Amino acid sequence: MNVGFIGLGVMGRPMAGHLIDKGHTVYLHRVKPVSQFLVDKGGVAALSAQEVAEKSDVVILMVPDTPDVEAVLFGEHGVSAGLSAGKLVIDMSSISPVATKEFAARIKALGCAYLDAPVSGGEVGAKNAALTIMAGGAKSDFERARPLFEAMGKSITLVGDVGAGQIAKVANQIIVGLTIQAVAEALTFARKAGADPARVREALMGGFASSRILEVHGQRMVDGTYDPGFRIHLHRKDLSLAVDAAKALDLSLPTTAATQQLMNAAIAMGDGDLDHSGLIRTLEALAGLRR
Amino acid sequence: MNVGFIGLGVMGRPMAGHLIDKGHTVYLHRVKPVSQFLVDKGGVAALSAQEVAEKSDVVILMVPDTPDVEAVLFGEHGVSAGLSAGKLVIDMSSISPVATKEFAARIKALGCAYLDAPVSGGEVGAKNAALTIMAGGAKSDFERARPLFEAMGKSITLVGDVGAGQIAKVANQIIVGLTIQAVAEALTFARKAGADPARVREALMGGFASSRILEVHGQRMVDGTYDPGFRIHLHRKDLSLAVDAAKALDLSLPTTAATQQLMNAAIAMGDGDLDHSGLIRTLEALAGLRR
């Protein structure tokens, strides 16, 4: 398949690499020294997002945030300038579910198809082609994209119509962020009250408090090591998507909002580039326990 | 072993039953028609907590809250009036970690030993002798109690010194309560944004958002069925222990406090006797979605 790939960052590079490895002709946007290896293994450097769209049947986006998607799709020499009827745009970035519906409508007006398909699993999942992919769009478009998804991910779900993938991703980030905060409050409580957080965590594994977060991020909190992983900065962006969408929807998300505020504090205290398990350091500071 | 059992409620009845089944002589406090079956299978009804303590080597408490433990231990005709040196008191209730240390000191002053050993697992865990038991106290006392714990529970951990069991239980209830709230916010977001909460939940299972709560309580939220399980009323009590201890310790637990406030709201709206997964109904009301 002729596939365009726009967004060759930490996630996009290995994802595009898997597509090349599967034998697809992959047109690459903004190749830099760090992504030159993709050209060496057979990818084709393009001059603009427009050229990527002109040469590809399917255009994949993997960029940081909502304004980046808008600029790449509809800016000067953007994707929309290069599209022709029948092509498929897949946005794998994590962006606003509300904006996604608008972008999809504008792409469909050009006679093209649109899927949102954000991922979770991080850099490790991208490198191992083991991403969780949450898609929104028409079933037929999802099936057309399936071979590409299968090259990059393991758990692949069509959640619903356009936007549903982004909704699921935001829901995922709400649960992950708030569960990290929950574990952080519990372990800080244990420590301040005079118990060993490591033994408390062990006593709680296997019961209703058990989760991937208690297992993985709880261990990081016990060890006090916060190499990312997924940075607090990026998680704050994702909770901002939740809070912004909540306002647009007249929806109250009390502990999502509180956790976003605590991420603001973590960043103010210089912890923005730590793994999100490092949120516990903010609580420790509030408790006079900062290491 | 001669064992006293005080607190023959929903949890205490099956727990005392397992001890009788294992061949222990069990002295029972306040036998009522609903607990008469324990006498029928060999338990011995006592006239007071004092008499229970006089006749037993080990006295187990399983009562609702901190003031109940204090009354049973130190009130008129209470346990302390019947204790003699060398006896062991085990409080399996879920109460204040701070008060626990004080109660233990007063019992130790009588020449007796003290363990706190709260449980999780609920009525089902109690009936199936599958409770998680989180103990605090001396290692030798813990070993003395081990055969009794093994008659009632499966995962049995000595977390630390006296009070550490209650600390672990509070930490457990913080994580469980806040994770329920996290899943509730995520699924309400999904629903209000126009996606199917059932499919969003499925897409999230297996990733970092996965937990026993997403699995069990998330399913209850999707189904809209909130038969307890563990009632919001009782969980609010446990978060009150966390919030009260946090004040005593100069500790800030922002989302624990927020979740406790939302439990206040749930109870105000008539949902106190629902399973704690029913917390989602408060969010639904706030979002104009109340079913």
Side-chain angles (χ1 to χ4, degrees), chain B residues 187-248:
Chain B
L187 296 185
T188 304
F189 170 80
R191 183 172 165 214
K192 186 93 178 181
D196 179 354
R199 292 172 78 173
V200 168
R201 175 181 162 278
E202 277 165 34
L204 269 46
M205 303 271 285
F208 270 115
S210 68
S211 65
R212 283 289 301 283
I213 299 296
L214 182 64
E215 190 188 330
V216 176
H217 301 76
Q219 186 63 53
R220 287 182 191 153
M221 294 177 199
V222 165
D223 295 340
T225 56
Y226 307 111
D227 305 324
F230 191 76
R231 292 173 206 273
I232 290 172
H233 256 304
L234 277 169
H235 209 141
R236 178 175 72 163
K237 185 211 86 176
D238 291 342
L239 289 197
S240 298
L241 292 175
V243 169
D244 291 350
K247 177 163 178 284

Side-chain angles (χ1 to χ4, degrees), chain A residues 95-132:
Chain A
I95 70 161
S96 160
V98 178
T100 290
K101 291 182 190 176
E102 183 211 322
F103 298 160
R106 291 169 71 183
I107 294 295
K108 286 179 184 174
L110 302 172
C112 298
Y114 192 99
L115 291 172
D116 54 305
V119 306
S120 74
E123 188 179 352
V124 172
K127 283 185 172 167
N128 296 335
L131 292 168
T132 296

Side-chain angles (χ1 to χ4, degrees), chain A residues 101 158-159 167 170-172 175 178 182 185-186 192-193 199 208-212 249 252-256 283 287, chain B residues 101 158-159 167 170-172 175 178 182 185-186 189 192-193 199 208-212 249 251-256 283:
Chain A
K101 291 182 190 176
L158 179 63
V159 180
I167 291 168
V170 170
N172 186 77
I175 293 177
L178 274 52
E185 293 198 17
K192 185 94 178 181
R199 291 173 78 174
F208 270 117
S210 69
S211 64
R212 283 289 301 282
L249 295 164
S252 175
L253 299 177
T255 70
T256 301
L283 283 178
Chain B
K101 290 181 190 178
L158 179 63
V159 181
I167 291 169
V170 171
N172 187 76
I175 292 178
L178 275 53
E185 294 197 17
F189 170 80
K192 186 93 178 181
R199 292 172 78 173
F208 270 115
S210 68
S211 65
R212 283 289 301 283
L249 295 164
L251 172 67
S252 175
L253 299 177
T255 69
T256 301
L283 282 178

Side-chain angles (χ1 to χ4, degrees), chain B:
Chain B
M1 215 182 290
N2 290 325
V3 182
F5 207 105
I6 297 172
L8 300 173
V10 168
M11 298 291 291
R13 287 195 297 273
M15 291 165 70
H18 294 308
L19 296 175
I20 295 168
D21 292 343
K22 287 282 180 187
H24 298 290
T25 303
V26 179
Y27 294 91
L28 302 164
H29 184 235
R30 289 195 186 147
V31 174
K32 296 177 188 170
V34 74
S35 40
Q36 178 61 36
F37 77 99
L38 293 169
V39 175
D40 297 342
K41 68 157 81 185
V44 183
L47 292 173
S48 65
Q50 178 179 340
E51 188 192 341
V52 168
E54 283 166 356
K55 296 196 168 160
S56 306
D57 302 310
V58 178
V59 180
I60 295 175
L61 276 63
M62 188 67 186
V63 297
D65 206 348
T66 309
D68 306 295
V69 172
E70 183 164 27
V72 163
L73 288 180
F74 306 110
E76 205 179 354
H77 302 296
V79 167
S80 61
L83 287 176
S84 49
K87 297 194 175 190
L88 170 63
V89 174
I90 308 175
D91 180 22
M92 303 190 75
S93 323
S94 292
I95 70 161
S96 160
V98 179
T100 290
K101 290 181 190 178
E102 183 210 322
F103 297 161
R106 291 169 71 182
I107 294 296
K108 286 179 183 174
L110 302 172
C112 298
Y114 192 99
L115 291 172
D116 53 305
V119 306
S120 74
E123 188 179 352
V124 172
K127 285 185 172 167
N128 296 334
L131 293 168
T132 295
I133 300 176
M134 297 156 266
K139 175 83 175 151
S140 56
D141 298 328
F142 178 73
E143 291 306 331
R144 183 175 169 192
R146 188 187 284 278
L148 305 176
F149 290 154
E150 286 176 347
M152 298 181 283
K154 269 191 178 153
S155 168
I156 300 157
T157 309
L158 179 63
V159 181
D161 294 337
V162 159
Q166 298 294 355
I167 291 169
K169 176 65 192 283
V170 171
N172 187 76
Q173 296 303 81
I174 289 173
I175 292 178
V176 171
L178 275 53
T179 307
I180 286 175
Q181 180 63 23
V183 170
E185 294 197 17
L187 296 185
T188 304
F189 170 80
R191 183 172 165 214
K192 186 93 178 181
D196 179 354
R199 292 172 78 173
V200 168
R201 175 181 162 278
E202 277 165 34
L204 269 46
M205 303 271 285
F208 270 115
S210 68
S211 65
R212 283 289 301 283
I213 299 296
L214 182 64
E215 190 188 330
V216 176
H217 301 76
Q219 186 63 53
R220 287 182 191 153
M221 294 177 199
V222 165
D223 295 340
T225 56
Y226 307 111
D227 305 324
F230 191 76
R231 292 173 206 273
I232 290 172
H233 256 304
L234 277 169
H235 209 141
R236 178 175 72 163
K237 185 211 86 176
D238 291 342
L239 289 197
S240 298
L241 292 175
V243 169
D244 291 350
K247 177 163 178 284
L249 295 164
D250 295 334
L251 172 67
S252 175
L253 299 177
T255 69
T256 301
T259 302
Q260 190 209 24
Q261 292 296 319
L262 290 163
M263 289 181 178
N264 290 345
I267 291 165
M269 297 168 90
D271 287 348
D273 283 325
L274 297 186
D275 183 71
H276 45 181
S277 53
L279 261 183
I280 196 173
R281 285 171 47 87
T282 306
L283 282 178
E284 289 170 348
L286 290 172
L289 288 170
R290 187 97 177 216
R291 287 180 269 215

